Amino acid sequence: MKNWWKILAFLLLLFTVIGGLLIEVPRQVILYETIRNLYFHVPMWFTMIFLFLLSVIYSIKHLSSSNMNHDLIAKQMVNTGVVFGILGLITGSIWAKYTWGTYWTNDIKLNGSAITMLVYFAYLILRSSMDEEQKKGRIAAVYNIFAFVMLIVFIGVLPRMYDSLHPGNGGNPAFNSYDLDSNMRIVFYPAVIGWILLSIWIANLNIRINKLKEKEE
Amino acid sequence: MKYLLVLFLLGINQLSIAQETVEMADAMRADGKIYVVVAVISIILTGLFVYLFTIDRKVSKLEKNN
């Protein structure tokens, strides 16, 4: 049974939906039931960062081995990660509208995540602008390392240095013990694992389809 | 005439009883009908995963053929 993790992804996400909508959550003004968005909005970002981390690992592997396979994996991880990033931006924007009263505000965390997305769009554009496979792979891999450093700066470092509307302002960029009680952890951690497994599955399909395409050419 | 009246009264009686007990299928109505939402999202999720599995199988088949 080599597909067990795909079934696990399904079960975890099914639990996320059922538990996420039904299990008691802390009662807080302004947030009210939207606090349940935590199970869906935040895992999008965790998933994106995880895929980008895998991507940079394969980029480094590609630099040391010149294996085009590693380059393909790095590329498809970014392709899939970007989708989750866009979903994170859109869901965050909707959530902000009904809690902060605006779709977008010049908040350090929001801008940081938007800039990160642009950095990774640039990675994909850079790739498509070159023809020679070996050269493309190498330049893209070097750029990918730079992009991941930018991600750490814009999502991991800067939000901790400034005040932010986003939960965990001026300290932890995501949440702290006040925002996430034990009841929510029961759903939140399975949700993160479930979304990450699903994203790896999709990236895996992308990689296999791309390999088939290359064989045909 | 008497019978008709009785039937009519019975009918009204039935109606009022029906109105008092319209809350059927209580399971899906509880808590502001949130269970309906849970059911809908669960079905969408199941459908998407079934679809993903079929895509996965198609890709596997192509890989075998090559």
Side-chain angles (χ1 to χ4, degrees):
Chain A
M1 198 65 195
K2 67 179 179 27
N3 283 338
W4 62 272
W5 58 278
K6 295 168 185 171
I7 293 160
L8 179 67
F10 172 65
L11 293 177
L12 286 174
L13 290 181
L14 198 63
F15 171 73
T16 304
V17 167
I18 296 168
L21 291 178
L22 296 181
I23 291 177
E24 276 284 312
V25 289
R27 287 159 189 268
Q28 290 181 12
V29 286
I30 300 175
L31 274 178
Y32 300 109
E33 296 282 0
T34 71
I35 197 169
R36 298 181 192 277
N37 275 349
L38 184 98
Y39 306 135
F40 302 96
H41 164 72
V42 183
M44 293 297 118
W45 293 109
F46 277 37
T47 305
M48 184 198 80
I49 293 169
F50 187 79
L51 288 179
F52 287 172
L53 175 69
L54 283 181
S55 174
V56 79
I57 289 170
Y58 275 96
S59 277
I60 293 167
K61 272 189 173 178
H62 170 70
L63 282 179
S64 69
S65 68
S66 288
N67 185 340
M68 288 316 283
N69 214 4
H70 291 158
D71 183 51
L72 174 63
I73 294 172
K75 176 194 167 192
Q76 292 304 339
M77 289 295 171
V78 171
N79 257 340
T80 315
V82 159
V83 173
F84 281 85
I86 291 170
L87 288 175
L89 276 183
I90 296 171
T91 52
S93 185
I94 294 170
W95 197 0
K97 175 66 184 169
Y98 294 98
T99 47
W100 303 339
T102 172
Y103 286 112
W104 193 268
T105 172
N106 279 330
D107 187 90
I108 185 81
K109 247 204 131 179
L110 275 60
N111 285 342
S113 53
I115 292 168
T116 307
M117 295 303 296
L118 292 177
V119 167
Y120 276 92
F121 282 136
Y123 168 81
L124 294 172
I125 293 167
L126 178 74
R127 288 193 65 96
S128 59
S129 69
M130 286 179 287
D131 288 327
E132 205 187 314
E133 286 296 318
Q134 287 289 332
K135 198 170 133 196
K136 181 206 274 187
R138 191 145 307 174
I139 291 173
V142 172
Y143 179 85
N144 198 13
I145 294 168
F146 162 79
F148 195 72
V149 173
M150 287 294 111
L151 180 145
I152 292 170
V153 170
F154 282 117
I155 291 182
V157 179
L158 284 182
R160 287 170 205 264
M161 297 171 67
Y162 296 94
D163 269 352
S164 164
L165 269 173
H166 200 278
N169 51 343
N172 195 324
F175 45 75
N176 53 35
S177 54
Y178 297 108
D179 299 326
L180 197 65
D181 75 348
S182 57
N183 244 356
M184 295 195 81
R185 283 170 207 273
I186 295 173
V187 181
F188 180 69
Y189 292 134
V192 169
I193 298 167
W195 288 113
I196 285 178
L197 286 176
L198 174 63
S199 73
I200 290 175
W201 186 6
I202 295 171
N204 171 263
L205 280 173
N206 274 336
I207 291 163
R208 284 158 64 193
I209 290 170
N210 255 49
K211 270 187 196 162
L212 284 171
K213 255 192 211 162
E214 279 174 8
K215 263 186 195 167
E216 265 185 17
E217 280 163 7
Chain B
M1 201 61 205
K2 234 181 184 179
Y3 281 114
L4 272 176
L5 197 72
V6 169
L7 271 176
F8 181 70
L9 285 174
L10 264 175
I12 286 178
N13 201 21
Q14 287 289 323
L15 261 177
S16 62
I17 286 172
Q19 265 164 3
E20 276 163 23
T21 56
V22 274
E23 283 196 35
M24 295 130 63
D26 292 308
M28 292 300 250
R29 291 173 194 269
D31 289 336
K33 306 190 187 183
I34 190 68
Y35 293 101
V36 180
V37 182
V38 173
V40 166
I41 302 177
S42 301
I43 287 167
I44 290 175
L45 201 68
T46 311
L48 281 177
F49 268 83
V50 169
Y51 185 45
L52 259 179
F53 266 111
T54 57
I55 293 173
D56 199 316
R57 205 172 303 153
K58 274 180 200 166
V59 174
S60 301
K61 231 180 231 171
L62 279 173
E63 280 169 339
K64 255 183 206 163
N65 288 347
N66 271 24

